[in-house]
Amino acid sequence: MLTRLLTILSLFASTSLAEAQGPPGASSRNPLAASPKGQSVFYASHSLMWYVPEPLGELAAAAGIQGHELVGLQKIGASRTFQHWELPEGENQAKRALGTGKVNVFVMSPIQFPDEGVENFVKLGLKHNPDIRFIIQLSWGGGDTDNQDFPTGSWDIVDREKSPAQLKKLYERNIRAGERQADEINRKYGRGKRIMTLVPTAQALVALRTKIYQKQIPGLNLQSELFVDAAHPSPPLEALNAYLHFAVLYGRSPVGLPMPSVLKKANREAWNEKLNRTLQEVAWQTAASYPPSGVDSTGRK
């Protein structure tokens, strides 16, 4: 009788642990796993990224990450990173922040690559904090053009309803150029470590638009619903990008986290929890399958 009772208790304990841990790759939702340490983050951004910090902060809080801090956000519309570097000293929040040595992660959004400002900020950041990390957003191109051709593009009338074959080629050259610059930065300054990782925003957008074309996204019927003009994102695309940044910054899956306010405030019935979950899954699948993101597909960074 005692042996039978011990066996039942053992099975119960194993089942409870498995339920707590969830399915493989779901360690971000495992209450037994330690939350990653909160990071102090600075952004040097154009308008295709400067909306990210607020929802990212919400996601970090919802995930139980303690100590996440937005150090600052330097905004220049349609900017190359070199333009942020070239700002006068009295206006350059980014240089001042790096000079304190208190920034853990410095995030940039070059329009095209290579961008001289990226390496300049890397050298300055490492001078004041040898353990600093750098994150680069691979942005989509306004007017549905490759950013290597910026500022040309279809700015007046954009044909958004593209086929998967067209979407696959849309941002290819800029992505490859960004990867080459990141590889060079890691080789020159990484001391054997990857200090620069990439947010695959353009790739995730292609994946999402492909699924919309294939009628696989609940709540989104047209690719054009992801944009408010020739370049800028609507709330679902803003949410998707925030999930990507969360995944790359903290190496954790966003799947299962609450809907961010950017999507709630849109107040559209079709943009519901089902769509939110789908955006989380697209973001995680893209980041976890893209080695330059530095994300481990198990959810551990």
Side-chain angles (χ1 to χ4, degrees), residues 24-141:
S27 61
S28 63
R29 301 184 298 280
N30 177 6
L32 302 181
S35 294
K37 180 181 178 182
Q39 300 296 300
S40 299
V41 190
F42 191 99
Y43 296 82
S45 177
H46 54 55
S47 59
L48 300 191
M49 189 179 77
W50 68 38
Y51 54 84
V52 165
E54 183 177 347
L56 181 56
E58 295 175 14
L59 296 173
I65 296 171
Q66 302 293 318
H68 175 85
E69 178 188 6
L70 172 61
V71 177
L73 167 60
Q74 184 165 282
K75 302 191 292 184
I76 304 176
S79 59
R80 295 169 173 83
T81 299
F82 189 65
Q83 290 174 253
H84 288 267
W85 178 261
E86 287 283 273
L87 277 179
E89 294 296 327
E91 302 173 26
N92 205 314
Q93 303 172 52
K95 287 183 180 179
R96 288 201 303 272
L98 288 176
T100 67
K102 296 178 180 179
V103 176
N104 300 133
V105 183
F106 190 77
V107 188
M108 295 168 273
S109 56
I111 288 180
Q112 55 195 203
F113 302 91
D115 187 317
E116 183 182 348
V118 170
E119 185 166 357
N120 290 344
F121 278 122
V122 167
K123 290 187 288 188
L124 179 62
L126 289 171
K127 177 181 177 181
H128 296 283
N129 179 1
D131 297 319
I132 191 172
R133 291 167 51 202
F134 301 92
I135 292 177
I136 296 289
Q137 174 177 295
L138 296 173
S139 302
W140 65 87

